[in-house]
Amino acid sequence: MDGHWNGYDSIGGSVPLDLVNTVSWRRDPARREDRLSTPDRLSEWVVLVGAGTERLEIPEAVLEMVKAFRETLYRVLVSDPPDTTPLRKPLLAAYRHAELAPSLPLRWTVPLTDDAALPHFLALEAEELLRSEKLERIRECEGPGCGWVFTDHTRNRSRRWCSSSDCGNRARAKRHYDKTRV
């Protein structure tokens, strides 16, 4: 992989949140970068986050479906109250392609055996996240323009930044500058 993924970390705590985070500087149009710019990039990302073990040949249509789902998921996660209606169609499609795992508790899965399975796999992963107790710990980075989302694993639920070495460091540097400027 080339430098395209430099600056990208799997900080979300789950595949669906890491999918949302493939857009850097989401809330700053001048700096916004979509790291899923090509089907090849999506294939790299699948391996990078551990969703699959080998690269898939992904057609442009699947890339566009994944990107549309990513934006839908982002809106659901950051809106208050969340509008979950747009999740209905991708979830129904995912269940039509899913298999029931032969174990308890019941779990629907979509094996990543081909490129067409990817949107369905991502939809079921997102549903699992949105049904879990992790949901109440999902946060959006407070860094100006950032827009990355993550699961706050701190005991007192105090995490504010996607990364303390990135947005957190910028905030500390700004506070220091503002203090010393006076």
Side-chain angles (χ1 to χ4, degrees):
M1 289 184 217
D2 60 22
H4 185 79
W5 294 104
N6 288 348
Y8 174 85
D9 290 314
S10 298
I11 59 98
S14 68
V15 170
L17 297 183
D18 287 336
L19 174 66
V20 169
N21 293 343
T22 57
V23 175
S24 296
W25 302 106
R26 178 182 291 281
R27 294 187 176 267
D28 183 350
R31 296 172 70 187
R32 183 181 169 107
E33 178 187 359
D34 185 348
R35 294 182 189 269
L36 298 183
S37 55
T38 66
D40 231 21
R41 299 295 184 207
L42 176 56
S43 183
E44 289 173 0
W45 176 82
V46 168
V47 174
L48 185 70
V49 298
T53 55
E54 56 189 61
R55 292 183 54 173
L56 301 169
E57 288 297 319
I58 298 175
E60 191 73 33
V62 170
L63 172 65
E64 294 308 316
M65 287 173 63
V66 168
K67 288 168 72 169
F69 180 74
R70 174 190 65 192
E71 298 309 309
T72 297
L73 181 58
Y74 175 74
R75 286 189 299 278
V76 167
L77 291 169
V78 301
S79 62
D80 188 26
D83 177 12
T84 58
T85 307
L87 292 175
R88 179 176 165 67
K89 187 176 177 182
L91 284 172
L92 287 173
Y95 277 107
R96 282 193 293 275
H97 292 88
E99 301 170 358
L100 193 55
S103 63
L104 293 176
L106 291 178
R107 180 164 157 54
W108 290 94
T109 61
V110 175
L112 285 179
T113 54
D114 62 37
D115 56 343
L118 184 58
H120 309 303
F121 169 82
L122 293 170
L124 289 184
E125 289 289 312
E127 181 191 31
E128 185 174 320
L129 174 67
L130 296 173
R131 286 178 180 253
S132 74
E133 66 261 359
K134 288 181 182 180
L135 182 59
E136 63 190 38
R137 291 186 169 265
I138 294 174
R139 307 274 185 274
E140 183 175 17
C141 180
E142 292 180 15
C146 182
W148 273 18
V149 292
F150 55 86
T151 306
D152 181 357
H153 293 291
T154 61
R155 185 178 297 184
N156 63 355
R157 300 179 186 195
S158 61
R159 183 174 167 190
R160 300 172 57 195
W161 317 111
C162 59
S163 167
S164 63
S165 63
D166 192 354
C167 288
N169 191 50
R170 269 196 220 54
R172 286 188 295 277
K174 182 180 181 336
R175 273 195 314 270
H176 176 73
Y177 175 78
D178 290 345
K179 267 194 229 177
T180 59
R181 195 172 66 132
V182 176

